[in-house]
Amino acid sequence: MRKIIHSVTIVTMNDENERINGYVVVERNLFQKVSKGKPTAEELRKADEVINGNGKWLMPGLINTHGHLGSSLLRGAGDDIPLMTWLKQVMWPNESRFDRETVLVAAELAMMEMIKSGTTTFLDMYHLHMDGIADVVMKKGLRATLCRGMIGLCSEEEQESKLKESVQLFKHYHGANEGKISIALSPHAPYTCPPSFLRRIAETAQEEKMMVHTHVSETRNEVEQHIKEYGKRPVIHLGELGLFDQPCLIAHGVHVNEQEISILKDRNVAVSHNPVSNLKLGSGIAPIPQMQAKGITVSLGTDSTASNNNLDMFEEMRMAALIHKGVKEDPATTNSFDTLAMGTHKGAEALQLHDIGKITAGYKADFIMIDPNVSHLTPWDESRILSHLIYATKGSDVTDTFIDGEAVYRNRQLINFDEERIISLANEKLKNFV
Ligand SMILES: [Zn+2]
């Protein structure tokens, strides 16, 4: 299947930061050509499908590197309370009542929201029914790194059974759907997993060659407790336990000091920065500019809709660009190209996916289109697009989303979803929650 999308302004996000008025040729699931100008008559004749972009912007699909799809129905269930109270009073009591259908409706709801706001790849950490979530993701055609979140505050037998479930998921789903599905190992956090369990997870990651994903140092209190209990800071401890021996992505990293930042860099650990969730829970602001100055791969995540409360990566990028300027009292702290990189190819690097996140020949054809003919994106020309994408665009400006060369959202219509049904089911389930 060969597709041509022409009459678009392409934001390539390649190393030269090129923006091109032209067209792309997609052969099966890859960009075969990215070019200026108009396709030739022969190229048009050879194409199975020709799409006129009508002046839209075409850019890489966004990559959300931290979330919990299964808790999407808890959007708005507990505002204005700190992380621990929120987990203990809102999240965990409700999640203990979730059945399989609730989790799968929540996951599908989140996928619709992501696709409609331009996300093509996401990481999901969830402790319930991950096999079911994986099946839905495959059916809907998204690219995802899925992890069965493991809380270790239980017997050793239960710990082992969670680990076994994670490895089984890996054996069954890793690389599935033409490589669109990846599986990682995911201890929930150092404060919910004792060291012996973390060591077991590190050994398993090593044996199976699995990537590791975990929450780290989200709140100040969590770090202070960790030091009290183990006599060392969490990042140092995790390194000693072997968690960084395989590729590792940590979520948050809000309260890390200079020494820990150096360890993250030396051990090649990537970070998922979740600015909106960290602000909403009053957790703090991660030292992202310091991490980037050291050369750490920093990506962006929304966290779940229970602490965000949406999955709009454009909003996340805007927040990431703004808060660090404010903290540093310096507008040069962030810029739009680097911020857009965090939402695209830095996210790909963080997930160990090295052929997505740019519009360039040989890369996977994961891309979105945006209609700039709206007042809040006017006026524009090629020199202003990056600024508009970070400071003015909303997820709802996305009109088309393609993953692996296949449309999952065309002219604002979802292809593989019964949106009305899922929204109605999600509202119906509200009565089951506390
Ligand atoms: Zn999280």
Side-chain angles (χ1 to χ4, degrees), residues 146-148 150 162-163 166-167 183-187 200-206 208 210-214 243:
L146 305 173
C147 344
R148 193 267 189 236
M150 296 178 282
K162 290 175 182 180
L163 195 51
S166 299
V167 173
I183 304 290
L185 264 186
S186 190
R200 268 291 289 140
I201 292 170
E203 286 164 7
T204 308
Q206 193 81 300
E208 304 291 343
M210 291 176 75
M211 181 186 136
V212 175
H213 176 60
T214 183
L243 267 293

Side-chain angles (χ1 to χ4, degrees), residues 66-68 86 125 188 213 215 218 251-252 274 277 303-304 307:
H66 183 70
H68 312 277
W86 175 73
M125 178 205 283
H188 173 265
H213 176 60
H215 295 107
E218 183 172 357
H252 307 304
N274 296 193
S277 173
D303 220 344
S304 82
S307 67

Side-chain angles (χ1 to χ4, degrees), residues 138 143-146 169-184 353 364 404:
M138 294 212 292
R143 194 180 301 284
T145 297
L146 305 173
L169 271 172
F170 178 70
K171 300 209 155 139
H172 191 74
Y173 291 99
H174 190 71
N177 225 15
E178 296 177 314
K180 285 199 283 291
I181 305 293
S182 305
I183 304 290
L353 302 170
K364 298 270 169 65
D404 242 7

